[in-house]
Amino acid sequence: MAKPRRLWLDWTVDRALRGLLWVALRLPYRWRVPMMGRILRALGGITGYRARADEQLAWIFPTLTPAARHTIATGVLDNFGRVVIENYSTADQMAWAERWVPHGPGLDACEAAQAAGKPILFVSGHFGNYQAARAAMNVRGYAMGGLYRLMNNPYSNAHYIASIEGVGGAAFPRDRRGLAGFVKTLREGGQGAILIDQFIAQGALLDFLGQPAPTALSAAEMALKYDTLLVPIYAERLENGLDFDIQIEAPITHSDALTMTQALNDSLAARVRAKPAQWLWIHRRWKPDRVKADHPPQAD
C-alpha cells in the first residue's frame, strides 16, 4: 500500500492536472493544443523531463551536440504537451480524425481482414500521437481497443481510462483480467492496439536504436497463437502541429516471437531516427543498470 505522504502528493498532482485540463478544455481546440505544448516546454526543467530526454538522447546519439539535443528535447516536450490535451479532447479528436486518411502498404490487408472478420493487432509506440491512429481508424468503422499500463498515480486512472475509451474500442489494463479481455477481443475477430516501446524488466533483450532494450514478446506471441494480423501503425504529426499522417506498414510476417518483435522494434526505430522530436524520450526506455542486473552476461 502506498505511504500516506505519497498518496497526498499523488492527490495534489492529480488535482493540479485536472485544473489545468479544465482550463485548457474551455479553449478552442486550435488554441488549446499549442498552448499545452508551450506549457510543457516551460515546465521541462521543473519536472526533470528535459534533463531526462537529454540524458537518453546522449546515450543513443553520442555524437549529437548539446545544442542539437536541446532542440530535440524542446520538440519532445512540445509534442508531449499536445498529446496530453489531444487525448483528453476526445470529441474534437474524433472530429479531426475524419481529416486523417490512413494509407500505406498494410491498409489493403487490414481492410480485407476486417471484412472477413479476422483479428488485427496493431502495434505502435510513443511516437507522434499513438491515439490519433486509433481515432483515425475507428471513425472509419474499426473498433480498435487499447491495452494500457495503469498510471502510477491512482487518482488519475479514472480520467485516463475515459480518455482511452473516448475514441472507440475498449480499454484493457495490463493485468490478468485486462489481458483476458484483450485476448477475447482478438479471438472473436476484433482489433486491438498495443505499444511496443515500454521497459519490461523481464522482457527479451532486443535491439532498439542500437542499444539492448528489454521488450515484451506478447504482441508477437498473441499474433502467432490466435493467427492475428500484426500491423505496425503510426500517427506522425504534421507541420501545422494539429494534423497527422496515419501510416500503416505491411504486416509483420509470422515466424517466431523474437524475430517478429525485433522487426517491430526496427520499424519504430526507423521512425524515431527520421523524426526524433516526435518520440517520447522522457520515459526511460533502456535503464542500463537495471539491464545489467536483470540480464547478467551468460558464461560461454
Side-chain angles (χ1 to χ4, degrees):
M1 182 176 178
K3 295 180 179 179
R5 182 179 178 183
R6 175 66 190 181
L7 287 174
W8 177 85
L9 179 60
D10 285 343
W11 183 89
T12 302
V13 169
D14 178 65
R15 286 305 179 273
L17 175 60
R18 287 172 185 262
L20 178 59
L21 292 171
W22 186 89
V23 172
L25 290 170
R26 307 278 78 77
L27 301 174
Y29 187 78
R30 289 180 177 273
W31 296 359
R32 82 177 76 123
V33 172
M35 182 196 77
M36 284 293 286
R38 290 192 293 271
I39 289 174
L40 262 293
R41 293 202 310 266
L43 294 176
I46 299 172
T47 59
Y49 289 159
R50 182 179 291 277
R52 192 183 302 172
D54 184 83
E55 176 187 352
Q56 295 211 106
L57 282 162
W59 169 250
I60 298 301
F61 301 125
T63 60
L64 280 180
T65 65
R69 294 200 304 269
H70 182 87
T71 298
I72 294 172
T74 297
V76 171
L77 292 167
D78 182 84
N79 185 67
F80 180 44
R82 290 171 185 259
V83 167
V84 169
I85 196 60
E86 286 166 347
N87 290 357
Y88 275 93
S89 306
T90 51
D92 291 306
Q93 190 175 52
M94 293 298 279
W96 278 68
E98 298 280 0
R99 302 154 51 114
W100 311 330
V101 181
H103 66 97
L107 180 59
D108 287 346
C110 292
E111 296 284 271
Q114 185 198 29
K118 294 184 178 180
I120 309 171
L121 181 51
F122 292 96
V123 182
S124 193
H126 292 83
F127 178 84
N129 185 343
Y130 49 91
Q131 186 159 292
R134 282 183 59 224
M137 297 299 281
N138 288 350
V139 297
R140 289 169 172 81
Y142 287 75
M144 192 195 306
L147 187 65
Y148 69 92
R149 178 183 177 276
L150 286 168
M151 299 183 75
N152 293 330
N153 187 328
Y155 297 103
S156 299
N157 275 312
H159 55 81
Y160 171 59
I161 295 168
S163 74
I164 298 173
E165 294 178 329
V167 297
F172 302 97
R174 276 183 178 269
D175 57 23
R176 181 173 295 182
R177 186 175 179 180
L179 284 169
F182 192 77
V183 165
K184 184 174 184 288
T185 297
L186 296 179
R187 292 179 69 176
E188 293 176 349
Q191 302 110 34
I194 191 169
L195 302 181
I196 195 69
D197 57 350
Q198 294 168 308
F199 182 93
I200 305 296
Q202 299 305 319
L205 204 57
L206 300 178
D207 177 85
F208 181 57
L209 289 169
Q211 293 293 343
T215 308
L217 302 178
S218 51
E221 289 171 342
M222 285 187 283
L224 290 169
K225 186 172 183 178
Y226 304 111
D227 193 22
T228 300
L229 209 63
L230 188 64
V231 184
I233 186 171
Y234 302 100
E236 182 179 308
R237 190 177 300 278
L238 298 180
E239 288 296 324
N240 67 7
L242 297 169
D243 285 309
F244 294 91
D245 181 15
I246 311 300
Q247 303 174 32
I248 304 175
E249 295 188 354
I252 300 296
T253 301
H254 284 205
S255 54
D256 62 84
L258 281 172
T259 301
M260 294 165 70
T261 306
Q262 185 60 65
L264 292 169
N265 273 3
D266 293 344
S267 168
L268 177 58
R271 300 280 172 175
V272 177
R273 290 184 186 279
K275 301 279 184 178
Q278 294 205 29
W279 190 63
L280 194 65
W281 291 91
I282 64 177
H283 81 253
R284 294 187 175 95
R285 178 65 185 95
W286 291 275
K287 303 182 184 179
D289 292 338
R290 282 280 304 277
V291 168
K292 290 178 182 178
D294 295 337
H295 300 267
Q298 299 297 313
D300 292 335

